[in-house]
């Protein structure tokens, strides 16, 4: 149990809590509040790379709003015995021991039997009336917030599929813009203005212009 109510006594507004757990069986979740995974796997406009921090904060705030600030979010869940793929190398046996993983055998050569979970909670007095109660589950399915940026082709055109590619690129850009607006609550028109023109891939020169070169 985490006594989050204690920290609300002098809080002027909502607070953010990040919880990292290391367990033997699997993922950790709340028992007295809903636990959900953050949206993941979406294709977003490439400009998000340059302002990822702003995007992530807006995305998380929007998900909190949609859940009426009554939810615990899973941001990351991973088995430390393997990495394919993961954002960083798994914690070493030495690091895990220093963090209190007492069940790792000294000198054992096999991969550690450890599962890490990162939870993110935004809470206030009105929406979280009880302290947070957590439990270990047997769920070892891996999860991470992952967002895909697809850069358009900007080189020359040498095949007949270029027209089809440009049409698909326009549809893809619009889908990415709408996805970003839905995730963050940002204004769709503002997102479109920050994106490269739909014709980022060069248009072929008309045949009649090529004749007179």
């Amino acid at each position: 149990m985490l006594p989050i109510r204690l920290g609300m006594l002098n809080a002027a507004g909502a607070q953010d809590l990040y919880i990292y757990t290391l367990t033997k069986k699997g993922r950790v979740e709340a028992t007295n509040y809903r636990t959900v995974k953050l949206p993941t796997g979406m294709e977003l406009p490439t400009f998000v790379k340059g302002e990822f921090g702003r995007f992530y904060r807006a995305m998380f705030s929007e998900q909190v709003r949609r859940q009426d600030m009554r939810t615990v979010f899973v941001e990351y869940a991973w088995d430390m015995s393997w990495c394919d793929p993961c954002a960083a190398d798994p914690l070493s046996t030495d690091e895990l021991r220093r963090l209190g993983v007492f069940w790792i055998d000294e000198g054992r050569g096999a991969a550690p039997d450890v599962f890490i979970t990162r939870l993110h909670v935004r809470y206030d007095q009105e929406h979280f009336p009880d302290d947070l109660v957590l439990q270990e589950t047997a769920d070892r399915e891996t999860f991470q917030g992952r967002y895909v940026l697809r850069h358009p082709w900007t080189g020359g055109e040498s095949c007949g599929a270029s027209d089809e590619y440009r049409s698909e690129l326009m549809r893809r850009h619009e889908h990415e813009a709408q996805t970003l607006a839905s995730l963050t609550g940002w204004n769709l028109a503002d997102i479109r203005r920050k994106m490269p023109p739909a014709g980022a891939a060069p248009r072929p020169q008309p045949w009649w212009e090529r004749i007179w070169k």
Side-chain angles (χ1 to χ4, degrees):
M1 185 271 288
L2 286 176
I4 62 174
R5 295 290 300 175
L6 185 63
M8 298 178 189
L9 294 177
N10 62 349
Q15 303 179 77
D16 279 78
L17 173 66
Y18 301 90
I19 305 167
Y20 294 84
T21 64
L22 297 167
T23 56
K24 190 173 185 179
K25 291 184 190 174
R27 184 176 58 82
V28 167
E29 64 183 16
T31 63
N32 55 340
Y33 296 102
R34 290 184 63 232
T35 303
V36 301
K37 295 175 182 176
L38 279 179
T40 186
M42 286 78 169
E43 294 187 5
L44 303 178
T46 54
F47 76 80
V48 168
K49 181 179 179 180
E51 48 188 88
F52 189 80
R54 177 173 172 262
F55 153 73
Y56 199 85
R57 289 189 296 271
M59 183 271 296
F60 185 78
S61 295
E62 178 64 12
Q63 305 314 307
V64 170
R65 184 192 67 80
R66 291 185 181 186
Q67 298 288 343
D68 194 31
M69 199 187 287
R70 300 179 189 277
T71 302
V72 177
F73 290 94
V74 179
E75 289 186 320
Y76 186 79
W78 212 267
D79 191 331
M80 289 289 98
S81 65
W82 64 284
C83 182
D84 183 27
C86 56
D89 292 337
L91 295 171
S92 68
T93 301
D94 209 38
E95 289 171 324
L96 291 170
R97 283 203 196 95
R98 291 203 302 270
L99 288 169
V101 182
F102 59 86
W103 60 87
I104 295 181
D105 296 333
E106 292 284 345
R108 190 178 72 168
D113 190 15
V114 180
F115 198 91
I116 185 169
T117 307
R118 170 177 159 135
L119 303 174
H120 189 175
V121 190
R122 182 168 295 168
Y123 62 97
D124 62 15
Q125 293 189 36
E126 178 184 354
H127 299 90
F128 276 76
D130 299 312
D131 287 327
L132 198 61
V133 181
L134 305 174
Q135 70 174 0
E136 180 183 8
T137 74
D139 181 4
R140 296 187 73 89
E141 182 181 2
T142 56
F143 172 83
Q144 60 181 330
R146 174 178 171 270
Y147 306 96
V148 181
L149 308 181
R150 296 176 60 190
H151 295 268
W153 168 255
T154 57
E157 299 176 351
S158 59
C159 71
S162 57
D163 288 337
E164 182 181 351
Y165 173 75
R166 280 194 306 277
S167 297
E168 176 58 31
L169 184 62
M170 293 175 64
R171 290 191 292 270
R172 193 179 88 199
H173 279 187
E174 180 60 21
H175 178 71
E176 291 171 352
Q178 293 188 19
T179 299
L180 181 58
S182 175
L183 279 176
T184 60
W186 289 350
N187 182 274
L188 183 57
D190 292 340
I191 293 172
R192 288 171 177 153
R193 280 193 291 271
K194 298 184 75 169
M195 296 177 69
R203 289 186 172 276
Q205 187 179 29
W207 63 269
W208 58 85
E209 290 184 7
R210 294 198 300 269
I211 290 176
W212 303 108
K213 274 198 168 184

